[in-house]
């Protein structure tokens, strides 16, 4: 079937995540297969505003499926939030004949897509964020690799905590969401996991659990704290959620926790198999949407299947924790420790 678009752009926006390159590669290769021109847009929406673009072909995406980061660079664009910025981006599209844009990022990126589509440019979003906090999709590119990076680091920490009989407080990324912390907490057998989605009480959920573990003859404790666990911007910036919990533990229990903020390490590294394959399937799907004349779509992963959803509806789906993981964690913490 003939494609509805002749030339499309591709960009990455917001925080990068492992697998974004695999998605870019899939977009380019699928477009070429369909006879569609692809323009790479550098530094997210900023590149569309300033015309920082280049022609892409099979050569430009060769040997990137295994690379972390994004070859297109990424940014969070304040200018694109303004009417003026959006007009400049549309002007670039008109000048270059870009009829559709595939944008890889989080829900902020999708809101940018909607702004562009109001000016007649077709848009498709691909979820790419280690936070896995986009309500419409069960999976966003980079989550599994980031989780495995965190798990490997925490396993190493456990070795030394065990030797020294210490308490470890590990702060995990996720912005306002606790998905990554919850998942990592299950995989590492943490003593405590604190996430922003659940109200928690320091005495009951931290101090008493450490005491119970100690009474069960454990002499090291692993406390996983989502960076947004306090739901408080100030704490998130300074001292940080991990440091805050450590201070409370020190004051209440008289032990000296060691704090590790995993930070941006979780965003880097080679994507694992799940992220490479999911990104490739999503990139393919996004181009098929545009070629089929669709616009305002978000590519989603639901129950193992790739599908697409209206972007406004997708943005309206509230983010939530994975309910079954949530229940499992409750049981694991209750029984083992
Ligand atoms: O959204 C991805 C993410 O890594 C969040 O987990 C984190 O809060 C934020 O980005 C950090 O952003 P920056 O790279 O601007 O420090």
């Amino acid at each position: 079937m003939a494609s509805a678009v002749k030339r499309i752009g591709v960009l990455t926006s917001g925080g990068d995540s492992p697998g974004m390159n695999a998605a870019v590669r899939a977009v380019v290769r699928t477009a070429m297969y369909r006879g569609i021109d692809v323009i790479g847009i550098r530094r997210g929406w900023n590149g569309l505003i300033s015309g920082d673009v280049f022609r892409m072909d099979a050569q430009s995406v060769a040997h990137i499926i295994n690379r972390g980061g994004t070859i297109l660079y990424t940014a969070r664009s304040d200018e694109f939030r303004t009417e003026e910025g959006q007009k400049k981006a549309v002007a670039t599209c008109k000048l270059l004949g870009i009829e559709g844009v595939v944008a890889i990022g989080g829900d902020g990126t999708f809101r940018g897509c909607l702004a562009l589509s109001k000016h007649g440019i077709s848009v498709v979003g691909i979820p790419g964020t280690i936070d896995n906090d986009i309500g419409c999709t069960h999976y966003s590119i980079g989550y599994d690799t980031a989780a495995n990076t965190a798990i490997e680091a925490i396993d190493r920490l456990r070795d030394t905590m065990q030797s020294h009989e210490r308490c470890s407080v590990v702060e995990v990324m996720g912005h306002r969401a606790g998905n990554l912390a919850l998942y990592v907490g299950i995989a590492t057998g943490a003593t405590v996991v604190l996430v922003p989605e659940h109200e928690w009480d320091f005495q009951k959920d931290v101090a008493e659990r450490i005491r119970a573990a100690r009474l069960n003859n454990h002499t090291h404790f692993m406390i996983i704290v989502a960076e947004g666990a306090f739901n408080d911007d100030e704490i998130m910036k300074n001292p940080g959620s991990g440091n805050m919990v450590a201070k409370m533990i020190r004051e209440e229990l008289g032990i000296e926790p060691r704090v590790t903020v995993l930070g941006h390490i979780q965003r880097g590294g080679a994507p694992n198999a799940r992220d490479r394959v999911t990104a490739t399937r999503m990139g393919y799907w996004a181009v098929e949407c545009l070629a089929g004349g669709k616009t305002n779509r978000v590519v989603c992963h639901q129950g193992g299947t790739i599908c697409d959803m209206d972007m406004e509806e997708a943005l309206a789906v509230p983010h939530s924790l994975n309910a079954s993981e949530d229940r499992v964690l409750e049981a694991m913490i209750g029984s083992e420790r």
Side-chain angles (χ1 to χ4, degrees), residues 230-251:
F230 284 83
N231 271 313
D232 181 324
D233 285 337
E234 286 314 306
I235 291 176
M236 214 164 137
K237 266 188 245 143
N238 185 35
S241 303
N243 281 311
M244 192 68 182
V245 171
K247 180 171 176 280
M248 293 161 93
I249 291 173
R250 196 176 302 121
E251 286 171 2

Side-chain angles (χ1 to χ4, degrees), residues 24-233:
V24 171
R25 173 180 179 272
V27 167
V28 172
R29 293 188 73 98
T30 308
M32 289 180 57
Y33 175 71
R34 290 294 236 121
I36 302 167
D37 278 354
V38 190
I39 307 295
I41 301 161
R42 294 191 186 89
R43 301 177 182 87
W45 301 113
N46 286 342
L48 206 54
I49 290 170
S50 64
D52 188 2
V53 301
F54 64 107
R55 265 183 187 279
M56 296 189 85
D57 56 20
Q59 195 55 37
S60 44
V61 292
H63 313 304
I64 66 165
I65 195 166
N66 55 323
R67 281 171 57 190
T70 161
I71 61 159
L72 294 178
Y73 305 98
T74 184
R76 296 185 176 97
S77 174
D78 288 334
E79 193 178 356
F80 192 67
R81 290 200 188 95
T82 67
E83 190 67 32
E84 202 51 36
Q86 289 161 19
K87 277 191 188 144
K88 286 186 195 166
V90 173
T92 303
C93 290
K94 300 262 185 243
L95 176 68
L96 301 176
I98 298 174
E99 297 165 292
V101 171
V102 177
I104 306 161
D107 45 13
T109 305
F110 303 157
R111 273 186 274 279
C113 284
L114 281 180
L116 200 64
S117 79
K118 294 208 170 81
H119 298 274
I121 313 294
S122 299
V123 289
V124 177
I126 295 180
T129 163
I130 66 161
D131 301 342
N132 206 22
D133 60 347
I134 304 172
C136 64
T137 182
H138 294 160
Y139 192 78
S140 65
I141 297 166
Y143 181 60
D144 202 50
T145 304
N148 278 293
T149 302
I151 289 164
E152 192 189 333
I154 291 166
D155 286 348
R156 286 167 193 257
L157 283 169
R158 189 184 282 284
D159 291 344
T160 172
M161 293 301 137
Q162 206 153 14
S163 309
H164 287 262
E165 303 182 281
R166 279 175 172 156
C167 174
S168 187
V169 177
V170 183
E171 184 183 303
V172 173
M173 269 192 173
H175 196 54
R176 296 257 160 266
N179 302 58
L180 192 57
L182 173 68
Y183 194 63
V184 164
I186 292 174
T188 54
T191 318
V192 171
V193 180
L194 300 179
V195 294
E197 290 82 353
H198 290 314
E199 264 190 44
W200 51 273
D201 172 74
F202 176 75
Q203 277 303 332
K204 176 170 146 290
D205 298 310
V206 184
E208 278 309 312
R209 279 184 180 158
I210 293 177
R211 286 190 183 111
R214 184 67 197 89
L215 287 168
N216 281 337
N217 294 324
H218 294 282
T219 56
H220 75 281
F221 317 104
M222 186 57 73
I223 316 298
I224 308 289
V225 184
E227 65 178 340
F230 284 83
N231 271 313
D232 181 324
D233 285 337

